């Protein structure tokens, strides 16, 4: 039985209805059910309620039906058809959609073919005119399906007290609140300016309201939970949208912080040539679009990838600078999921535009709307839209985020830029740049050496001769260490050799990023890359990764209507292996569940999908999926070093069953056990860490997923901004779990870490001190992680790790 939403076309003309369906099937080929109830016969115009009811029954596979109608009596006939349905549950699964017939049907077909729910299919279809309106220069109504009058219900009003008005952060908090309300549809308007009503779930619409401090905002809510929703919105407004407010006379900056002068981004002083770092904007390729379904899939794959990048930046910022500073990333995440922006982009895709062109144009329209707001502070937030848009474009078409760092000559360089968006400084700092910001300085880039700011409130400038001379000895000592010399009186102790986990040709090539992270003349720690596609594997190789420490195989299973077969999986895994050039690939079996559902795999609704049917549990429930994946992995393992890793293992019986499935795949292939095939498990469940000794006889390695292990150990969902600050992998409780795994593994199994903590130099030192011998990070973080490992003093790392285990919190750990 299909799990896709069915469609019914109701038209006065049979020829028109069938032609519209033919066009839609061109755009969305496949098994999508589209039924036609049009005309009284081949030549007679009219609509028939009985025929419509029969068409609804034929199209309904259980996922629901969206009915599109042309005009007039077609709507009346469709309403009558609902009354003719005997099954009340079937009536509840039908949604009559007011979309334009042709454009709406095309968009609905593409959306439904992608596995969307009935409500989303109807909403996307209702907004189908957005692409045409934009092309012809007509005004595009933000949230066209929801805008208009408040429509009765409960109304209320609040006055904006935030000094900067309803800008990105408070707007993001309001949109997040509204999206979480069940049984209520919330609209708002700027009563002071007399704006139109817009859906409060749209971040783009909220910021375009231009609601400044002192403006009155009217709220209109309909639905059974309207009163509770109004109270929730007014409560948030009374708290100033959880933003600190100094008082009614709080000063407003004349411009965004990025143009206010030098920004101290790291302690110390960096000396070197100034370097301009204005990234080349990603170029939308002048290429014809493929079929709309493929372009929609391409866009839908890019969005979660960028969301993952933003969450990493948010978590890092919250951990290092605090929740208030990290809140801007919540706005960026909401932009990625903004209904008006997505509807506009997807409508353009359905109309024949490529994914990059559709996204770029839709985002630019939102940015232009922000720039049109009279208030300079709010208008400047267009930069946030363009920053997020650029991230998505880079995911779609590629391109560097920052200009490359010159590895020759000077060790440190001073980055000079007129603007740094929130997503850029963390990456810049991790890459070894010192950061300052000044519009005038950008014009002088590369003229003179510079000293970057060395702490809060310090400005960069041209250093004096004595100052330069006083700083260069540190640089010379670092060069001496890289050349194999000794610096200082302490000689670090050696690290045990990683058991059975070699990177293959990891030492090939020249440069600091090649070869395992190691002290000169001593065995070190493998540094791998976490990848989610063959393109990521290419990036991992370019970054000098010793291996793929985590291959997320979900990229093959998501965004499609059927699971990949063995041959398709084998080809994809071979492509990843080829990019690694003989280095080991650690393949994690499918890790999806209620939080990452598959449209072709019906799953029960779960109150907490993170603790539900996911990972190895899902594989046990659907053994065919695991069998195909393991067979593809075994085939590839005969040609390249490969490790198979099972996720979300909580019980030994789960691992034993998974190993039996692997044995079955090996027998089915008929070539014996592949040489070098290794088996391991993800350690994400605290109980697994505490009983790791029971797993040791059955594994070659453990890979600790610090992201999930942290959120489970601290009962703090990492995607929830309200508790994200608690989910700190440097919490002593989490470190004790890592220590338990390392102690149990001893010399019998390697312990790896593939979570975000692996890219944090401070965390990396503690992890190595505890006994971790492989760190796997995002590809861009590989060189920095290797350098951090090379500079470790093993004895000091062990001492600090031991002290961290008895600390009273992550703050104390950082102070050790």
């Amino acid at each position: 039985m299909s799990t896709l939403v069915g469609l019914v076309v109701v038209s006065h003309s049979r020829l028109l209805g069938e032609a519209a369906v033919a066009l839609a099937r061109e755009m969305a080929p496949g098994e999508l059910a589209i039924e036609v109830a049009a005309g009284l016969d081949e030549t007679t115009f009219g609509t028939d309620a009985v025929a419509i009811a029969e068409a609804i029954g034929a199209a309904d596979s259980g996922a629901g039906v969206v009915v599109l109608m042309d005009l007039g009596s077609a709507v009346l006939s469709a309403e009558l058809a609902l009354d003719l349905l005997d099954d009340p549950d079937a009536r509840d699964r039908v949604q009559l959609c007011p979309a334009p017939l042709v454009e709406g049907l095309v968009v609905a077909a593409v959306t439904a073919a992608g596995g969307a729910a009935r409500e989303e299919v109807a909403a996307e279809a209702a907004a189908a005119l957005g692409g045409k309106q934009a092309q012809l220069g007509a005004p595009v109504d933000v949230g066209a399906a929801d805008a208009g009058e408040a429509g009765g219900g409960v109304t209320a009003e609040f006055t904006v007290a935030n000094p900067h008005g309803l800008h990105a952060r408070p707007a993001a908090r309001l949109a997040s609140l509204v999206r979480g309300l069940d049984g209520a549809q919330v609209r708002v308007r700027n009563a002071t300016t007399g704006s139109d009503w817009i859906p409060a779930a749209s971040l783009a619409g909220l910021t375009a309201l231009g609601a400044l401090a002192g403006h009155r905002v009217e709220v209109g809510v309909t639905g059974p939970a309207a009163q509770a929703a109004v109270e929730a919105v007014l409560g948030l407004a009374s708290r100033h949208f959880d933003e600190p407010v100094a008082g009614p006379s709080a000063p407003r900056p004349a411009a965004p912080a990025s143009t206010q002068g030098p920004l101290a981004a790291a302690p110390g002083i960096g000396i070197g040539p100034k370097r301009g770092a204005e990234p080349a904007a990603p170029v939308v390729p002048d290429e014809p679009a493929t079929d709309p379904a493929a372009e929609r899939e391409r866009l839908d794959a890019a969005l979660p990838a960028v969301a993952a990048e933003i969450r990493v930046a948010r978590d890092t910022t919250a951990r290092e600078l605090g929740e208030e500073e990290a809140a801007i990333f919540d706005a960026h995440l909401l932009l990625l999921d903004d209904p008006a922006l997505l509807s506009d982009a997807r409508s353009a895709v359905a109309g024949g535009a490529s994914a990059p062109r559709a996204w770029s144009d839709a985002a630019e329209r939102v940015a232009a709307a922000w720039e049109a707001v009279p208030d300079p502070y709010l208008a400047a937030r267009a930069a946030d839209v363009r920053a997020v848009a650029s991230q998505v474009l880079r995911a779609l078409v590629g391109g560097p985020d920052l200009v490359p760092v010159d590895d020759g000559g000077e060790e440190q360089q001073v980055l000079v830029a007129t603007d740094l968006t929130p997503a850029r400084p963390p990456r810049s700092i991790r890459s070894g740049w010192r950061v300052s910001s000044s519009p005038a300085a950008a014009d002088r880039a590369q003229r003179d050496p510079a000293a970057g700011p060395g702490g809060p409130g310090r400005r960069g400038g041209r250093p004096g001769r004595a100052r330069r001379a006083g700083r260069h000895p540190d640089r010379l000592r670092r060069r001496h260490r890289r050349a194999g010399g000794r610096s200082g009186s302490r000689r670090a102790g050696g690290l045990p050799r990683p058991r059975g986990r070699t990177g293959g040709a990891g030492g090939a090539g020249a440069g600091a990023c090649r070869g395992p992270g190691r002290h000169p003349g001593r065995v070190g720690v493998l540094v791998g890359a976490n990848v989610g596609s063959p393109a990521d594997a290419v990036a991992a190789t370019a970054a000098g990764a010793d291996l793929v420490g985590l291959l997320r195989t979900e990229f093959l299973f998501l965004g499609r209507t059927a699971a990949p077969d063995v041959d398709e999986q084998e080809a994809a895994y071979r492509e990843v292996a080829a990019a690694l050039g003989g280095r080991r690939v650690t393949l994690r079996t499918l890790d999806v569940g209620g939080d990452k559902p598959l449209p072709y795999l019906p799953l029960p609704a779960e109150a907490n999908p993170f603790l539900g049917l996911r990972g190895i549990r899902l594989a046990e429930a659907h053994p065919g999926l695991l069998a195909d994946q393991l067979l593809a992995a075994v085939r590839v393992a005969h040609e390249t070093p490969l490790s198979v890793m099972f996720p979300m293992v909580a019980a030994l019986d789960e691992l034993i069953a998974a190993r039996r499935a692997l044995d079955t795949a090996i027998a089915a292939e008929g070539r014996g056990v592949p040489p070098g095939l290794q088996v391991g498990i993800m350690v994400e469940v605290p109980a697994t860490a505490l009983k790791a000794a029971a797993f040791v006889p059955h594994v070659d390695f453990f890979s600790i997923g610090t992201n999930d292990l942290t959120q489970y150990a601290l009962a703090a969902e990492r995607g929830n901004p309200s508790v994200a600050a608690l989910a700190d992998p440097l919490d002593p409780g989490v470190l004790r779990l890592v220590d338990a795994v390392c102690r149990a593994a001893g010399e019998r199994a390697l312990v790896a870490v593939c979570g975000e903590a692996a890219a944090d130099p401070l965390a990396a030192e503690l992890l190595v001190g505890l006994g971790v011998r492989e760190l796997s990070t995002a590809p861009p973080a590989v060189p920095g992680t290797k350098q951090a490992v090379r500079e470790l003093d093993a004895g000091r790392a062990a001492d600090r790790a031991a002290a961290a285990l008895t600390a009273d919190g992550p703050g104390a750990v950082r102070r050790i």
Side-chain angles (χ1 to χ4, degrees), residues 549-727:
L550 169 62
L551 172 59
R552 300 183 179 95
T553 58
E554 295 78 42
F555 75 94
L556 275 170
F557 293 80
L558 297 171
R560 55 192 297 160
T561 58
D565 61 19
V566 175
D567 292 340
E568 182 181 354
Q569 293 188 59
E570 179 186 356
Y573 304 151
R574 285 189 185 280
E575 190 175 356
V576 170
L580 267 289
R583 298 175 180 84
R584 179 168 292 277
V585 174
T586 304
L587 181 153
R588 183 181 70 187
T589 58
L590 183 62
D591 186 15
V592 296
D595 58 322
K596 291 182 286 186
L598 301 175
Y600 49 86
L601 194 66
L603 295 174
E606 296 177 310
N608 191 340
F610 289 103
L611 300 179
L613 193 65
R614 58 171 293 195
I616 196 65
R617 304 167 184 177
L618 181 70
E620 288 184 347
H622 300 273
L625 280 178
L626 181 63
D628 285 354
Q629 188 167 33
L630 291 178
L631 181 55
V634 167
R635 291 178 181 177
V636 177
H638 278 287
E639 316 297 334
T640 193
L642 188 132
S643 302
V644 173
M645 179 164 66
F646 299 107
M648 199 65 180
V649 174
L652 182 60
D653 288 347
E654 293 174 329
L655 174 59
I656 299 300
R659 292 213 61 147
R660 288 199 193 100
L662 179 59
D663 291 340
T664 300
I666 292 172
E669 181 60 15
R671 290 192 281 169
V673 178
L677 177 65
Q678 296 181 359
V679 178
I681 63 171
M682 290 281 291
V683 179
E684 304 156 285
V685 180
T688 304
L690 294 175
K691 59 185 178 185
F695 295 94
V696 169
H698 306 279
V699 299
D700 298 294
F701 65 94
F702 295 101
S703 186
I704 301 175
T706 52
N707 298 347
D708 275 341
L709 184 65
T710 299
Q711 74 166 347
Y712 293 147
L714 297 172
E717 180 191 356
R718 66 178 189 266
N720 184 338
S722 300
V723 296
L726 292 174

Side-chain angles (χ1 to χ4, degrees), residues 747-758:
E747 293 297 313
R748 295 179 294 171
L750 175 129
V751 179
V753 166
C754 63
E756 294 166 12

Side-chain angles (χ1 to χ4, degrees), residues 788-815:
V789 169
R790 287 191 184 97
E791 295 180 350
L792 281 183
D793 180 313
R796 183 171 60 190
D799 291 344
R800 288 180 172 175
L805 296 178
T806 60
D808 60 8
V813 170
R814 289 183 169 84
R815 290 191 295 271

Side-chain angles (χ1 to χ4, degrees), residues 407 427 430-432 482 506-508 511-518 525-531 536-550 552 580 583 753-761 764 774-791:
D407 290 328
R427 187 174 300 179
R430 286 195 299 270
S431 300
R482 288 180 178 176
C513 70
R514 299 297 181 186
R518 65 180 72 227
V525 175
L526 294 171
V527 178
N530 304 332
V531 306
D536 285 351
V538 173
T541 300
D546 300 320
L547 74 163
V548 166
L550 169 62
R552 300 183 179 95
L580 267 289
R583 298 175 180 84
V753 166
C754 63
E756 294 166 12
D760 180 344
E774 177 183 311
L775 301 171
S776 192
T777 74
V782 166
T785 304
K786 284 196 169 188
Q787 186 60 35
V789 169
R790 287 191 184 97
E791 295 180 350

Side-chain angles (χ1 to χ4, degrees), residues 292-577:
E295 294 292 342
R296 167 67 181 266
E297 184 175 338
R298 185 180 172 193
L299 177 59
D300 287 352
L303 294 171
V306 173
E309 291 180 10
I310 294 175
R311 288 189 185 98
V312 170
R314 192 212 183 282
D315 291 348
T316 301
T317 304
R319 188 165 58 247
E320 297 180 1
L321 300 178
E323 278 297 315
E324 183 180 346
E325 296 299 328
I328 185 60
F329 293 105
D330 296 331
H332 284 202
L333 288 169
L334 282 170
L335 277 171
L336 284 178
D337 194 34
D338 189 271
L341 175 58
L342 294 182
S343 176
D344 193 5
R346 288 168 175 165
S347 294
V349 166
S354 67
R357 171 55 59 195
W359 173 259
S360 177
D361 290 351
E364 185 56 34
R365 283 190 284 272
V366 173
W370 284 25
E371 284 181 327
V373 175
D375 180 75
Y377 185 86
L378 293 180
R381 301 282 57 81
D384 292 309
V385 180
R386 293 192 173 105
V388 175
S390 291
Q391 284 183 270
V392 175
L393 282 179
R394 287 188 178 93
L396 288 168
V397 303
D401 183 45
L402 292 173
V403 295
V405 178
D406 183 1
D407 290 328
E410 294 290 347
E411 182 176 325
Q412 294 189 29
Q413 301 172 26
V414 178
L415 179 149
V416 182
T418 56
D419 185 32
L420 289 176
T421 61
R424 287 175 61 195
R427 187 174 300 179
S428 306
I429 295 167
R430 286 195 299 270
S431 300
W433 293 77
R434 295 289 181 241
V435 181
S436 181
S437 175
S438 170
D443 295 332
R444 303 195 304 270
Q446 309 219 31
R447 293 183 191 172
D448 304 308
R458 300 182 63 169
R459 293 176 175 269
R462 181 167 184 159
R465 181 179 300 175
R467 194 178 186 191
R468 292 199 301 269
R471 294 297 173 181
H472 279 261
D474 287 338
R475 177 172 17 177
L476 294 176
R477 282 194 293 271
R478 284 192 292 269
R479 289 178 179 170
H480 184 55
R481 286 201 301 272
R482 288 180 178 176
R486 293 171 57 187
S487 172
S489 60
R490 180 191 292 267
R491 182 179 180 90
L495 301 174
R497 178 182 300 276
R499 175 186 181 274
R501 291 272 284 182
T502 62
C513 70
R514 299 297 181 186
R518 65 180 72 227
H519 301 270
R522 291 182 285 119
V523 175
V525 175
L526 294 171
V527 178
N530 304 332
V531 306
S533 69
D536 285 351
V538 173
T541 300
D546 300 320
L547 74 163
V548 166
L550 169 62
L551 172 59
R552 300 183 179 95
T553 58
E554 295 78 42
F555 75 94
L556 275 170
F557 293 80
L558 297 171
R560 55 192 297 160
T561 58
D565 61 19
V566 175
D567 292 340
E568 182 181 354
Q569 293 188 59
E570 179 186 356
Y573 304 151
R574 285 189 185 280
E575 190 175 356
V576 170

